[in-house]
Amino acid sequence: MTKDVTTWFGTAHEAAASARRTSTDLLQRVEHRLRSFLSAEREVWADVDERAVVTIDALSELMASGGKRIRPAFCITGYLAAGGDPDDSGVVAAAAALEMLHISALVHDDVLDDSSRRRGLPTVHAKHTALHHSRGWQGESRRFGEGVAILVGDLALVYSGELMSRAPATAVPEWNKLRSEVMIGQYMDIAAAAEFSVDPRLSRWIALIKSGRYTIHRPLVVGASAAGRGELAPAFEEYGEAVGEAFQLRDDLLDAFGDSADTGKPAGLDFSQHKMTLLLGWAMQRDERIHSLITEPGHTPDEVRRRLVDTGVPDDVEKHIAGLVERGCKAIADAPIDQVWRNELTDMARRVAYRNA
Amino acid sequence: MTKDVTTWFGTAHEAAASARRTSTDLLQRVEHRLRSFLSAEREVWADVDERAVVTIDALSELMASGGKRIRPAFCITGYLAAGGDPDDSGVVAAAAALEMLHISALVHDDVLDDSSRRRGLPTVHAKHTALHHSRGWQGESRRFGEGVAILVGDLALVYSGELMSRAPATAVPEWNKLRSEVMIGQYMDIAAAAEFSVDPRLSRWIALIKSGRYTIHRPLVVGASAAGRGELAPAFEEYGEAVGEAFQLRDDLLDAFGDSADTGKPAGLDFSQHKMTLLLGWAMQRDERIHSLITEPGHTPDEVRRRLVDTGVPDDVEKHIAGLVERGCKAIADAPIDQVWRNELTDMARRVAYRNA
């Protein structure tokens, strides 16, 4: 407090740096919690049989291979913005639980999408399918590899619940909503892709649930409720849904036009998996030939990309992203939180909307 | 209390009937909790989109199609034996959580095993694979069907955690052990089957974890800890591991020799999936040709069955089951619980060891 000096700019700068230090410190504790949790589990199981640790090691590898920790960051920001005590370990547990849940979702998602690589490494099911094949084991290699991924994802889901059992009980209702919502949202996503439904309302709703709520809105509210301030939920909802839509639109653009060296996954996955993204939904409304470019064999991703650019939709998506960021920032401009956290949330909105991976 | 009259037999009879009524009543409340939980979720989602309730309905159908509710029964018995208040709703939440977790395990297991039927109905993945195929949807039918089953199982896993969040906090550590253990045990099971490992120590350990602990020992301890009496754990562990092994051996015998009209699933699944059950492990130690009967194509389940009978192993397994039931009952003979609950647990041991489905 004695450091708050002279000018408003000086003070604000000091306060911003201090806020950033506090959240960085908490995020490091989340990282430490995740690692120490997994290594304690490994120690318990290593004595039993060498096979037993395979599932745990799969989670540790994925955890160590990268990831932006967006959900823990929003959870901790929501907590600190709500005035939560930075020395309490409850929010660390909640943020670690969110990241572990996300690891589970990634492992299962990669089976749903049959993705071969994630964060620059083979996906869990791809790795174990190949292992089964090379060892000449009994049964079908694909069923084995996907079975391992199902169980590894289940284990992460269970561990996320275990981590959450150390978080404040006030955060649990929002956590429960987040979890069931993401599963149902995922189902709707694969159902819409299978039907290749061209229903912009549905696409938008799926994006809202899978990104806005799961990635931003609910992690913020989990944090705020861990601090006992559930009343911040409406402001965080409005912010999270807008910034989450921007996050998802950036995801769509990165999938279509991004560099797979940055993203760590193959480009154009949404095309090959017939994901009805907002980008594709809008583009098809303007040019219906894009539908057949995607569903009929013999067309390259480059053809889809060129046609997308011709529709002008990518530029419109950029403009829409800018509007969403603005809307998100406006939503927290009047929230009863300290100015330093409004600034931090504004900064975070820009970082998720304009990321390159 | 005023009803405890005249003879020892009369009193015991009265007390036994009353204990049975109390646990039956609690099990009915568990049933009601499961149904009302799912129907409340359905109501929330029905407004969103007709697709959203598909995952919830899959769980309700499986729940309604049968099941022995063994884990809730042991949880409630552990709770009442520990002197828990039958009017408290915490144990109902814990028992419902155990059943929901089991539903999740069944849905994912059926993908791992590629089982087509469960409880007389098509399995979740088989149903949705067929639906995808008949509608001529985009993508691969198998990936879609299995993807739906992954998400339906994930949803049940998440719901089990949500149900458990209403149970006493004292029950949570045992619940956490049970959940992670069953996932790792499942992985070891598919890994051992893929390697077709003939290691009786490993087979026994997998059976211990997958059946003894998951089905009997830990549900009993979840119940006892919900009543605040974790000190009963050692007696329940010894009982649960013995009776659980008997449960698993009966499972092996039913799979090999049972009537699929009773069990609701095809007979001989363990053979075709190369599950190294205790029954098969023992039989192969006596007659190594059984190994090739199972792994080499062109042999019928009947050939395996005949050869198994010739080894005399099924009779030995029956004797071993009888010994395990006796050992389990001895383990609770000295436990600090009321005689009426010792009798009830003895009765339950016989029911699980000598069931026909």
Side-chain angles (χ1 to χ4, degrees):
Chain A
M1 283 303 169
T2 53
K3 284 197 175 175
D4 283 358
V5 282
T6 52
T7 71
W8 181 84
F9 281 105
T11 309
H13 190 269
E14 186 77 33
S18 157
R20 184 66 64 89
R21 266 197 308 276
T22 308
S23 53
T24 305
D25 178 55
L26 275 167
L27 276 169
Q28 273 166 357
R29 286 169 60 197
V30 171
E31 214 56 29
H32 181 260
R33 170 70 63 96
L34 287 165
R35 277 163 214 254
S36 61
F37 180 90
L38 289 175
S39 71
E41 276 289 305
R42 193 188 201 282
E43 211 164 298
V44 168
W45 286 98
D47 289 338
V48 173
D49 187 284
E50 54 177 5
R51 292 177 194 81
V53 298
V54 169
T55 48
I56 300 168
D57 288 348
L59 299 176
S60 298
E61 280 162 27
L62 199 46
M63 205 70 92
S65 66
K68 299 177 282 291
R69 312 291 194 259
I70 292 182
R71 293 149 200 92
F74 278 106
C75 173
I76 278 167
T77 306
Y79 177 79
L80 293 173
D85 175 4
D87 293 326
D88 194 291
S89 65
V91 73
V92 174
L98 286 166
E99 188 62 19
M100 190 67 89
L101 173 70
H102 187 55
I103 290 283
S104 167
L106 294 180
V107 174
H108 282 180
D109 239 29
D110 287 338
V111 178
L112 267 45
D113 294 345
D114 195 21
S115 303
S116 57
R117 299 187 77 77
R118 164 77 67 185
R119 296 180 179 172
L121 294 175
T123 52
V124 176
H125 75 282
K127 176 178 168 173
H128 288 272
T129 299
L131 183 73
H132 185 280
H133 183 75
S134 72
R135 298 275 169 93
W137 282 338
Q138 300 286 326
E140 189 203 29
S141 297
R142 169 177 169 181
R143 188 157 306 279
F144 178 79
E146 293 179 6
V148 173
I150 290 174
L151 295 169
V152 167
D154 285 353
L155 185 65
L157 193 48
V158 157
Y159 281 160
S160 76
E162 188 163 343
L163 286 161
M164 194 66 191
S165 63
R166 302 294 179 96
T170 46
V172 171
E174 191 73 11
W175 163 249
N176 283 336
K177 274 185 219 159
L178 180 153
R179 289 192 298 174
S180 50
E181 195 172 66
V182 74
M183 299 312 169
I184 292 176
Q186 287 271 72
Y187 165 75
M188 305 226 358
D189 195 26
I190 66 166
E195 298 172 33
F196 206 48
S197 152
V198 188
D199 174 353
R201 192 198 60 88
L202 181 64
S203 300
R204 195 156 178 188
W205 188 86
I206 291 170
L208 170 72
I209 260 199
K210 282 193 58 181
S211 301
R213 293 199 190 159
Y214 169 63
T215 303
I216 303 181
H217 155 208
R218 299 219 188 271
L220 278 170
V221 180
V222 165
S225 355
R229 288 195 59 200
E231 80 275 11
L232 290 172
F236 284 165
E237 175 170 359
E238 212 181 321
Y239 169 91
E241 296 197 345
V243 180
E245 190 176 344
F247 173 87
Q248 182 60 48
L249 289 169
R250 177 62 57 203
D251 222 46
D252 298 349
L253 288 172
L254 286 170
D255 182 83
F257 303 103
D259 184 339
S260 74
D262 289 330
T263 61
K265 49 189 179 186
L269 271 182
D270 291 338
F271 307 158
S272 58
Q273 288 155 8
H274 307 124
K275 283 281 159 72
M276 183 49 68
T277 63
L278 289 168
L279 173 70
L280 291 176
W282 285 354
M284 281 178 211
Q285 286 185 309
R286 293 203 200 156
D287 179 351
E288 51 187 39
R289 281 164 304 176
I290 290 175
H291 190 285
S292 38
L293 278 184
I294 288 178
T295 53
E296 287 164 13
H299 300 287
T300 66
D302 271 338
E303 281 179 84
V304 183
R305 266 187 279 271
R306 271 196 301 273
R307 183 75 82 170
L308 278 175
V309 172
D310 287 346
T311 62
V313 166
D315 286 342
D316 290 350
V317 168
E318 285 292 354
K319 276 177 219 142
H320 191 56
I321 287 176
L324 287 164
V325 169
E326 199 183 331
R327 183 150 72 81
C329 297
K330 215 174 257 169
I332 47 143
D334 302 321
I337 58 175
D338 200 282
Q339 183 61 39
V340 73
W341 292 110
R342 278 190 209 118
N343 296 343
E344 184 64 15
L345 284 163
T346 300
D347 192 53
M348 288 172 85
R350 295 205 185 103
R351 275 184 277 151
V352 300
Y354 297 105
R355 72 196 195 281
N356 70 347
Chain B
M1 283 304 170
T2 54
K3 283 199 173 171
D4 283 358
V5 283
T6 52
T7 73
W8 181 83
F9 281 105
T11 309
H13 190 271
E14 186 76 32
S18 157
R20 184 66 65 88
R21 266 198 306 277
T22 308
S23 51
T24 306
D25 178 55
L26 275 167
L27 275 170
Q28 273 164 357
R29 286 169 60 197
V30 171
E31 214 56 27
H32 182 260
R33 170 70 62 96
L34 288 165
R35 276 162 214 255
S36 61
F37 180 91
L38 288 174
S39 72
E41 277 289 306
R42 191 186 204 285
E43 210 163 297
V44 168
W45 287 97
D47 289 338
V48 173
D49 187 284
E50 55 177 4
R51 293 176 192 82
V53 298
V54 169
T55 48
I56 301 168
D57 288 348
L59 298 176
S60 298
E61 280 161 27
L62 199 46
M63 205 70 93
S65 66
K68 298 176 284 290
R69 312 290 194 258
I70 292 182
R71 293 150 200 91
F74 277 107
C75 173
I76 277 167
T77 306
Y79 177 80
L80 293 172
D85 174 4
D87 293 325
D88 193 291
S89 64
V91 74
V92 173
L98 286 166
E99 188 62 19
M100 191 66 89
L101 173 71
H102 188 56
I103 291 283
S104 167
L106 294 180
V107 174
H108 282 180
D109 239 30
D110 287 337
V111 178
L112 267 46
D113 295 345
D114 195 21
S115 304
S116 57
R117 299 188 77 76
R118 164 78 67 185
R119 297 180 179 172
L121 294 175
T123 52
V124 175
H125 75 281
K127 176 177 169 174
H128 288 272
T129 299
L131 183 72
H132 185 281
H133 183 76
S134 72
R135 299 274 169 93
W137 282 339
Q138 300 287 326
E140 189 203 28
S141 297
R142 169 176 170 182
R143 188 158 306 280
F144 178 79
E146 294 179 6
V148 174
I150 290 174
L151 294 169
V152 167
D154 285 352
L155 185 66
L157 193 48
V158 157
Y159 281 160
S160 77
E162 188 163 343
L163 287 161
M164 194 67 192
S165 63
R166 303 294 179 97
T170 47
V172 171
E174 191 72 12
W175 163 250
N176 284 335
K177 275 186 218 159
L178 180 153
R179 289 192 298 173
S180 50
E181 196 171 65
V182 74
M183 299 311 169
I184 293 176
Q186 288 272 71
Y187 165 75
M188 309 239 336
D189 195 26
I190 66 166
E195 298 172 31
F196 206 47
S197 152
V198 188
D199 173 352
R201 192 198 60 88
L202 180 64
S203 301
R204 194 157 180 189
W205 188 85
I206 291 170
L208 170 72
I209 258 199
K210 283 192 58 180
S211 301
R213 293 198 190 158
Y214 170 63
T215 303
I216 303 181
H217 156 208
R218 298 218 187 273
L220 278 169
V221 180
V222 165
S225 359
R229 287 195 59 200
E231 78 276 12
L232 289 172
F236 284 165
E237 175 171 356
E238 212 181 321
Y239 169 91
E241 296 197 345
V243 180
E245 190 177 343
F247 173 87
Q248 182 58 46
L249 289 169
R250 177 63 56 203
D251 223 45
D252 298 350
L253 288 172
L254 286 170
D255 182 84
F257 303 104
D259 184 339
S260 73
D262 288 331
T263 61
K265 50 190 177 184
L269 270 184
D270 291 338
F271 307 159
S272 58
Q273 287 155 9
H274 307 124
K275 283 281 159 72
M276 182 50 67
T277 63
L278 289 168
L279 174 70
L280 291 177
W282 285 354
M284 281 179 211
Q285 285 185 310
R286 292 203 201 158
D287 180 350
E288 51 188 38
R289 281 165 303 179
I290 291 175
H291 189 287
S292 40
L293 278 184
I294 288 178
T295 53
E296 288 163 13
H299 300 287
T300 65
D302 271 338
E303 281 178 84
V304 183
R305 267 188 279 271
R306 270 197 301 275
R307 184 74 83 168
L308 278 175
V309 172
D310 288 346
T311 62
V313 166
D315 286 343
D316 290 350
V317 168
E318 283 294 356
K319 275 177 220 142
H320 192 57
I321 288 175
L324 286 164
V325 170
E326 200 182 329
R327 183 149 72 82
C329 298
K330 216 174 258 170
I332 47 144
D334 301 323
I337 58 175
D338 200 281
Q339 183 61 40
V340 73
W341 292 110
R342 278 190 210 119
N343 296 344
E344 185 65 13
L345 284 164
T346 300
D347 193 52
M348 288 171 86
R350 294 203 184 103
R351 274 184 277 152
V352 299
Y354 297 104
R355 71 195 196 281
N356 71 347

